[in-house]
Amino acid sequence: MAASVEQAFDYGLLLSIREESARLAALNEYLSTRSYIGGFTFSQADVEAFTRFPEPPREQYFHVLRWYRHIAAIRDASSANSCDTKGKRVQPAWSPPEGTEQPRLHLYNSLTRSKDEFVPQNGKQVLWYCCGPTVYDASHMGHARSYISFDILRRVLMNYFKYDVFYCMNITDIDDKIIKRARQNHLFEQYREKKPAPAQILGDVQTALKPFLVKLAETTDPDKKQMLERLHAAVTLVLGPLQEAVQRGAAASEVAPKAELLLKEAKDLLSDWLDSQLGSQVTENSIFSILPKYWEGEYHQDMEALNVLPPDVLTRVSEYVPEIVAFVKKVVENGYGYVSNGSVYFDTAQFGGSEKHSYGKLVPEAVGDQKALQEGEGDLSISADRLSEKRSQNDFALWKASKPGEPSWDSPWGKGRPGWHIECSAMAGSILGESMDIHGGGFDLRFPHHDNELAQSEAYFENDHWVRYFLHTGHLTIAGCKMSKSLKNFITIKDALAKHTARQLRLAFLMHSWKDTLDYSNNTMESAIQYEKFINEFFLNVKDVLRAPTDITGQYEKWDSQEIELNKSFYEKKAAVHRALCDNVDTRTAMEEMRALVSLGNTYIAARKSNRQTPNRMLLQSVAAYLTEMLRVFGAIDGVEPIGFPVGGSGQNMDLEVIVMPYLSVLSDFRETVRKIARENKVTEVLQLCDALRDDTLPELGVRLEDHEGLPTVVKLVDRETLLKEREEKKQVEEEKKRKKEEAARKKQEQEAAKLAKMKIPPSEMFRSEIDKYSNFDDSGFPTHDAEGKEISKGQTKKLKKLYDAQEKLHKDYLEMVQNGGSS
């Protein structure tokens, strides 16, 4: 308190007032707002001010007088106490605890390639820009990798670290890929609408194959070549039958389906050919907006299905063309851009040569990589005439003069359209200003896209800190193979959601580092499914404990060593989760610590129940509530349930459980009573009906009953699909068990039959049938010579004698068994 008082009021300034009455009045006014009675410990400043008074102040200065008397009393008491132990006691000096240093949030920053402490530019506010999708096709798991990962990071910063995040994302709806795809779709639909004859389709496909085969021969990239070879094989497979049918003049009913199949398989090939022939004639801008508008809608639906939070601001390139033009103008005015043949290019040499700027901040070693630079410029922008417009091959387009067959907008340099990189710079700059805290995107966007963004933005704002922290999510592979939309090797988000739930996909991402490569495979998803099942069972068990009836005081139970130990572990695990999240939002480690906490909880519950003791409800409730909240922070739980995953689908989650559980509890108690009576009276049919209710009827309604010997039946609400899957798996296990049992019985029977057959053979006959080994035998049937007529050696004779004696014993046992009425 003393330190805060000294900071709050400057006694030195007060004491500098020369006139005594004015000084007292100022001090009196200050002390009127200060509590100096209850718990007051005076400071050194109080002592210095006190010593300035040779006598108590006059009563008109009421607050100063009370302050004076209070300090005087404390000083007198302290003095008396030092002389007389029977005097008035005072509080001893208090020392604050030393405390421990707490971990701070660090994020892996691509600008430094290291984990840097995260310090926002403006208090708790975080300005965040994320590169959105280029909408020309279905969203795939590569998109999910990036946007689920950033959603997790965003939620953790907002809901765990309590930052005020302002999240801006773009939609790229003007781009070379979109232009080409929209043009091709338009031309192909026109082609279909003309209803060409099968012979024309055949001829057009054969014509389109010629440039295609040239392209195939020139392609060196192995993945792209494999994709083109697959397309060629598919077209060739259906082209032959149509060609044969047309040549022999087959009926239309036979030819038409073959022509339709060829049209379907050759769509990409035909579209590319039609575009090369007629693409320059497509000039209506609206044609180029239909495609991205449709796929943007599909993208938003996919993100909603994945429970990805929408951005606070969404920008579309098509809506920011004026801002982009103004942005390009200023870059040119600042000396970092130049006009060439109606296009505008960024001068990387001029920018990189400036003392206050640096080009290639993210991946300096990639500067000059022409393949990457040309991919960044787009397929429609790397023709020889376009490349010759640049001062340097490292320069990139800010504004592209539109060719025939491309959308265009007015600009000071003529009709044209934005370059790819400039879009994000202009849109992010118009919303977030000259500097942002975080910029996010996929790992493959680092160069040239993000390096070019940084360069042109810092050229515009004339600063060197457009982005403070650059975050890049790792690649996604499919069962170890590279995923690529352009190579047609991808799984759409809708396809993924048809196999797994949004929560399971998110758990899979949470169980891996957001910045490393994630392999989307059956093993990955099975791990996520098992994690979900493991933690859900814990939630259901805790809910069952909490449903046990108790009064308001009964819920507070005495803690024994088990509770103290679990609670200690609970706080250790919470601290471990916090350290993990501070360490680059390491959800993988956090999830493992949470799994370990669940294991400890399960062990505690099992130990209590094995001793016929009730688990401590308040402690388990705290553990389960914490786990629920962390999963909610991660976006794996979307709802207000205090404990556990939602039941029954969104909108009715907690209401369903609250409404139906009392009725299910009554049903469970009634069933338990019936089972008890049936067991006592040995009424098997009733017990079977009770089992059927548990195993067949209730799972169809999403209800699981778990019977435990000597304990009440546990009632759990679980998704119907999960229960039916469990039932089917249980059935398969039982069938497999039955099959193995039958197989074992059959083998045993065969072995016994073989043994019996062997027992029936007299020792005198056992070797006579082996004419391939022996040629002569003595009177007892024992071999004396091998198949070649040579006398059997002593060593071999000794071995055969052991076999003979063993068979003699077996046969003797058989004869005794027959004599006693056994098998014959």
Side-chain angles (χ1 to χ4, degrees), residues 170-415:
N170 78 294
I171 292 289
T172 297
D173 58 354
I174 301 173
D175 177 81
D176 285 35
K177 293 187 183 74
I178 293 173
I179 293 168
K180 191 172 182 180
R181 180 68 63 85
R183 210 163 59 193
Q184 289 178 345
N185 286 356
H186 174 71
L187 292 170
F188 186 77
E189 287 307 312
Q190 279 191 333
Y191 183 84
R192 285 186 66 95
E193 287 171 3
K194 292 177 182 178
K195 298 181 179 178
Q200 183 183 346
I201 294 173
L202 180 63
D204 288 341
V205 170
Q206 289 172 329
T207 302
L209 270 171
K210 294 175 183 177
F212 173 83
L213 291 173
V214 172
K215 180 181 178 181
L216 175 60
E218 293 174 348
T219 300
T220 57
D221 183 275
D223 293 323
K224 193 170 184 179
K225 194 175 189 71
Q226 188 179 43
M227 183 268 291
L228 294 175
E229 287 172 345
R230 286 199 303 268
L231 175 58
H232 182 229
V235 171
T236 303
L237 187 66
V238 295
L239 186 145
L242 176 61
Q243 187 175 26
E244 187 273 333
V246 169
Q247 287 175 348
R248 64 180 167 82
S253 58
E254 181 186 345
V255 174
K258 288 181 169 58
E260 186 62 30
L261 183 59
L262 177 61
L263 200 58
K264 177 184 175 183
E265 294 295 338
K267 179 184 176 182
D268 289 346
L269 186 147
L270 266 178
S271 297
D272 203 33
W273 174 69
L274 289 168
D275 186 54
S276 68
Q277 302 296 309
L278 307 169
S280 61
Q281 300 176 20
V282 181
T283 56
E284 177 56 46
N285 270 15
S286 62
I287 292 171
F288 301 102
S289 64
I290 295 171
L291 179 78
K293 186 175 181 180
Y294 171 79
W295 287 116
E296 182 191 338
E298 292 293 299
Y299 165 81
H300 290 311
Q301 289 180 19
D302 288 340
M303 292 302 104
E304 184 177 3
L306 291 172
N307 195 31
V308 171
L309 294 173
D312 296 308
V313 177
L314 185 131
T315 60
R316 299 181 183 87
V317 178
S318 60
E319 298 172 346
Y320 277 79
V321 173
E323 288 84 353
I324 292 171
V325 170
F327 198 100
V328 174
K329 282 180 65 178
K330 188 172 180 183
V331 171
V332 174
E333 290 168 2
N334 288 349
Y336 302 110
Y338 58 90
V339 181
S340 178
N341 199 25
S343 295
V344 183
Y345 294 94
F346 188 82
D347 193 332
T348 54
Q350 182 70 21
F351 180 80
S354 170
E355 289 185 3
K356 55 187 174 182
H357 295 304
S358 177
Y359 179 64
K361 284 185 171 183
L362 290 167
V363 196
E365 63 271 23
V367 174
D369 183 342
Q370 292 306 306
K371 181 181 178 183
L373 287 166
Q374 289 184 19
E375 286 178 357
E377 292 294 80
D379 290 344
L380 303 178
S381 308
I382 54 173
S383 57
D385 58 326
R386 276 284 166 90
L387 294 175
S388 66
E389 295 173 355
K390 301 180 181 182
R391 293 177 182 173
S392 165
Q393 292 303 301
N394 292 340
D395 295 348
F396 56 90
L398 301 173
W399 182 264
K400 302 177 181 180
S402 291
K403 299 177 184 177
E406 297 178 2
S408 62
W409 288 264
D410 293 327
S411 79
W413 317 286
K415 291 279 189 180

Side-chain angles (χ1 to χ4, degrees), residues 9 23 31 75 87 189 247 294 353 391 443 445 472 475 484 548 628 636 650 756:
F9 191 79
R23 185 169 66 250
L31 292 173
R75 285 166 63 88
E189 287 307 312
Q247 287 175 348
Y294 171 79
R391 293 177 182 173
F443 184 83
L445 295 179
H472 289 100
H475 286 301
S484 170
T628 301
S650 60
L756 182 63

Side-chain angles (χ1 to χ4, degrees), residues 782-796:
F782 193 86
T784 57
H785 295 77
D786 63 16
E788 296 177 356
K790 295 179 181 179
E791 189 175 349
I792 294 176
S793 66
K794 291 182 178 180
Q796 183 69 7

